[in-house]
């Protein structure tokens, strides 16, 4: 599976910084374009951008969002990867990210699983979960500390479908960049017949992908 364009959704949170590392490494390893998107909307300053005092002038919120996007872009550049584009979208977090996906058509969207600022305060439910369910492209959600990246092991859930095969191919592509071990797991419904184990009902799939 080719990865020619990577989109990083960022809000400056801790998980977003981890996502930036992952996006930069994947883009660098695959020679893919790397784009950033930050979504903003008009909310009280204390809910999203502490540096902005309450005001009726919407441009102040946009300027603060521009500063955040510029800062995150510079951080990514500091990781040794060129930023092909930095995109500012005014919308709700979910709709803004999905719009960027539709417009840019990335092969992979990378984002943190938990956000801050506008991402956290405005989300009704999990932004990352909703994006993952609705995005028109594969989504890599990052969580945990620095020890979680780069990956040392990739586990692929397989059900024999085309979607699972595509997920396995993408996992192999990403894991292969870092020499990670690969495990394919298939789960079965029902219990084995007495004395037969799983014979006749399939077998556990475990193999190295790379």
């Amino acid at each position: 599976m080719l990865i020619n364009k990577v989109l990083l959704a960022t809000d400056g949170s801790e998980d977003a910084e981890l996502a930036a590392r992952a996006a930069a490494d994947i883009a660098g390893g695959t020679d893919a374009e790397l784009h950033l998107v930050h979504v903003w909307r008009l909310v009280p300053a204390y809910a999203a951008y502490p540096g902005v005092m309450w005001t009726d002038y919407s441009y102040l919120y946009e300027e603060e969002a521009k500063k955040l996007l510029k800062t995150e872009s510079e951080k990514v550049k500091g990781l040794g990867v060129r930023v092909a584009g930095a995109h500012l979208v005014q919308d709700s977090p979910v709709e803004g990210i999905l719009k960027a996906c539709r417009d840019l058509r990335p092969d992979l969207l990378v984002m943190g699983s938990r956000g801050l600022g506008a991402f956290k305060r405005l989300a009704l439910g999990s932004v990352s979960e909703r994006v993952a369910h609705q995005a028109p492209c594969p989504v890599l959600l990052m969580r945990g500390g620095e020890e979680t990246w780069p990956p040392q092991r990739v586990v692929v859930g397989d059900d024999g479908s085309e979607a699972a095969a595509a997920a396995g191919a993408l996992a192999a592509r990403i894991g292969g960049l870092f020499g990670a071990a690969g495990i394919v797991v298939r789960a079965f419904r029902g219990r084995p017949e007495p004395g037969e184990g799983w014979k006749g009902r399939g077998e556990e799939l475990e193999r190295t992908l790379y």
Side-chain angles (χ1 to χ4, degrees):
M1 176 174 287
L2 296 179
I3 302 176
N4 295 315
K5 184 183 295 184
V6 177
L7 176 60
L8 169 65
T10 181
D11 67 345
S13 65
E14 183 176 348
D15 277 4
E17 290 189 10
L18 182 62
R21 284 179 51 204
D25 287 347
I26 293 171
T30 59
D31 197 28
E33 287 186 6
L34 178 58
H35 292 255
L36 275 71
V37 61
H38 173 59
V39 182
W40 73 284
R41 65 186 299 186
L42 295 176
V43 293
Y46 59 81
Y49 303 110
V52 178
M53 299 300 293
W54 177 258
T55 177
D56 293 331
Y57 299 104
S58 62
Y59 74 89
L60 291 179
Y61 299 99
E62 184 174 9
E63 288 301 314
E64 194 70 9
K66 287 179 179 178
K67 290 179 182 178
L68 188 151
L69 182 59
K70 182 178 180 180
T71 297
E72 296 306 308
S73 295
E74 293 299 323
K75 288 181 181 179
V76 171
K77 292 176 182 177
L79 297 174
V81 180
R82 185 179 72 86
V83 175
H87 311 271
L88 194 64
V89 179
Q90 182 181 3
D91 209 328
S92 68
V94 173
E95 292 303 320
I97 295 173
L98 294 177
K99 182 179 185 300
C101 288
R102 291 191 295 267
D103 292 345
L104 295 172
R105 297 184 179 181
D107 299 298
L108 179 67
L109 168 66
V110 185
M111 61 184 294
S113 64
R114 292 169 295 183
L116 297 176
F119 275 75
K120 182 177 181 180
R121 309 300 177 111
L122 296 176
L124 298 177
S126 170
V127 170
S128 59
E129 182 177 344
R130 292 166 65 192
V131 169
H133 282 128
Q134 300 179 49
C137 63
V139 180
L140 176 61
L141 300 180
M142 300 299 302
R143 64 163 58 106
E146 294 184 359
E147 68 279 0
T148 61
W149 188 265
Q152 297 181 4
R153 178 179 299 173
V154 178
V155 179
V156 179
D158 177 60
D159 62 1
S161 66
E162 292 185 4
L170 180 59
R173 184 74 179 96
I174 295 175
L177 296 174
F178 311 101
I183 298 176
V184 179
V185 177
R186 175 172 290 184
F188 298 88
R189 289 185 177 275
R191 301 175 61 182
E193 297 298 330
E196 291 187 1
W198 291 103
K199 184 178 180 181
R201 306 186 66 89
E203 61 182 359
E204 179 183 3
L205 301 178
E206 182 172 337
R207 59 186 173 84
T208 301
L209 292 174
Y210 322 112

